[in-house]
Amino acid sequence: MTSSNSSELAQRGRTWLAALTGAAKPQAGYAASVQVVDASLAGAPARYIAVMPDPDNPFARARHGEVGLREAWDIARAVREVIAADERSARKRTVVAVVDVASQAYGRNEEALGIHQALAGAVDAYASARELGHPVIALLVGRAMSGAFLAHGYQANRLLALDDPQVMVHAMGKASAARITLRTIEALEALTAQVPPMAYDIGNYASLGLLWRLLKVRQADAPTPADVALVREALEAAVREIRAEPDRRPGVAQAGAHRAATCRVKALLREQW
C-alpha cells in the first residue's frame, strides 16, 4: 500500500530512519534538515544519515528535502566523524544513507556560496569512508534526484531500494525535464516508458544493473514490523557481503538487463589493460 500524497512522500526519510533506529536519539549539533543517528546493525555500531524537509530552513531553496549548503556540509561532517573515530579500529563501522531527496538546492545564494563545493564535500566523505573499509549502504525509500543523490547515497558499496511507485531515480524532476525537452509531462512519461535510462520508476532503474537489491514492502509510507524486518535483514546481508569482499568500488551490483554491453566493454578493457 502506497500513498501519492507529496507531504507523506517528503517524510519517508524521517519515517524509515526512525523505524530502523528505534529509540536511538539523533545526534545534536546538526541542521534540523539532517538527522544523524547512531544505532546498531548486524550486531555492531552503525551511523544512519537522512535528509528531510525543514520549513524553517534559512535557505529557502532547501526547505522541501533538497540537499543544500548546510545539508551537504553536515552530511560530510557526519561521515568524517565516523572515519576519525574509527581511524585506529580494524573493524570500521557501517554508514547507512537513508535516501529521500528532492534535488540539490538551486538558488543565487547556493551558487554564490559554493553549492558545488558543498556537494563535492559530501561525495568525498562517503567515498573516503568506503575506500577506508567502512561498509557504506544507501537505502532508497523515496526520491533520489540529481545532485542530491550524487551527494547522499550514490557513493555506497551497495544500493538498495524499496519496490514502490514513489521511489524514483533521475537526473532531474519531471517538471524540469519536461521544460528542458519542450514536452508536456504526459509526453515525457510516454517517452521514458520506451527508453529505460530516461525512466523515473525504480523498476527501470533496477534494469540498469546498479541496484543490489529491490525490496517489496507492504507499506512504504508507514512500514509494518514485517517491512522493517525485511529491510533490516537486507541491510545486514549487504554488510556481510561488503565485509567478505574486498572490492571497494561504488555501486558494485549485478549485470542488469540493459547493462550487457557495458559489462562486455569493461571486461575487454580489463583484459587489454
Side-chain angles (χ1 to χ4, degrees):
M1 185 172 70
T2 62
S3 171
S4 60
N5 185 292
S6 60
S7 63
E8 289 183 9
L9 176 61
Q11 296 301 321
R12 281 195 181 179
R14 189 189 309 274
T15 297
W16 279 95
L17 180 68
L20 292 169
T21 59
K25 299 293 185 182
Q27 296 293 305
Y30 291 93
S33 52
V34 178
Q35 285 200 359
V36 179
V37 181
D38 291 331
S40 64
L41 180 63
R47 171 157 285 192
Y48 297 76
I49 305 170
V51 175
M52 52 203 61
D54 173 21
D56 298 318
N57 196 315
F59 289 92
R61 298 292 187 176
R63 290 177 176 170
H64 302 96
E66 298 87 354
V67 175
L69 294 159
R70 302 173 78 211
E71 291 73 28
W73 286 127
D74 269 4
I75 290 169
R77 179 159 63 94
V79 177
R80 291 286 176 189
E81 286 175 352
V82 170
I83 293 173
D86 288 3
E87 184 178 7
R88 299 181 183 277
S89 175
R91 190 175 181 83
K92 311 296 187 182
R93 84 187 72 178
T94 299
V95 178
V96 180
V98 180
V99 181
D100 180 12
V101 286
S103 71
Q104 74 259 35
Y106 295 97
R108 289 194 181 122
N109 289 332
E110 283 75 17
E111 294 298 329
L113 294 173
I115 184 68
H116 62 292
Q117 290 181 316
L119 296 174
V123 171
D124 184 63
Y126 275 123
S128 297
R130 187 192 70 244
E131 291 172 357
L132 289 168
H134 291 270
V136 179
I137 305 169
L139 173 65
L140 280 57
V141 300
R143 297 158 295 181
M145 293 292 184
S146 66
F149 181 36
L150 299 181
H152 180 54
Y154 197 66
Q155 284 294 322
N157 298 86
R158 299 291 184 275
L159 299 174
L160 293 75
L162 303 185
D163 186 1
D164 178 84
Q166 300 299 337
V167 178
M168 297 176 283
V169 182
H170 208 278
M172 63 178 68
K174 288 184 180 180
S176 299
R179 285 195 298 270
I180 290 294
T181 59
L182 303 179
R183 289 179 169 85
T184 64
I185 291 180
E186 292 74 18
L188 178 70
E189 289 174 338
L191 177 64
T192 60
Q194 304 170 28
V195 186
M198 291 186 62
Y200 286 80
D201 67 280
I202 197 63
N204 268 297
Y205 185 74
S207 75
L208 301 178
L210 299 174
L211 274 184
W212 181 70
R213 193 168 292 184
L214 197 54
L215 308 171
K216 187 68 176 179
V217 298
R218 294 185 62 189
Q219 296 183 184
D221 289 318
T224 66
D227 292 334
V228 176
L230 174 69
V231 172
R232 180 170 285 278
E233 287 171 6
L235 292 173
E236 292 175 351
V239 171
R240 289 193 297 270
E241 183 171 297
I242 293 166
R243 292 200 188 279
E245 297 178 2
D247 194 331
R248 293 173 181 171
R249 291 173 297 163
V252 176
Q254 316 306 314
H258 299 287
R259 198 174 172 82
T262 298
C263 292
R264 177 60 178 158
V265 169
K266 285 185 175 181
L268 290 172
L269 287 171
R270 282 194 297 270
E271 289 175 9
Q272 296 178 30
W273 292 87

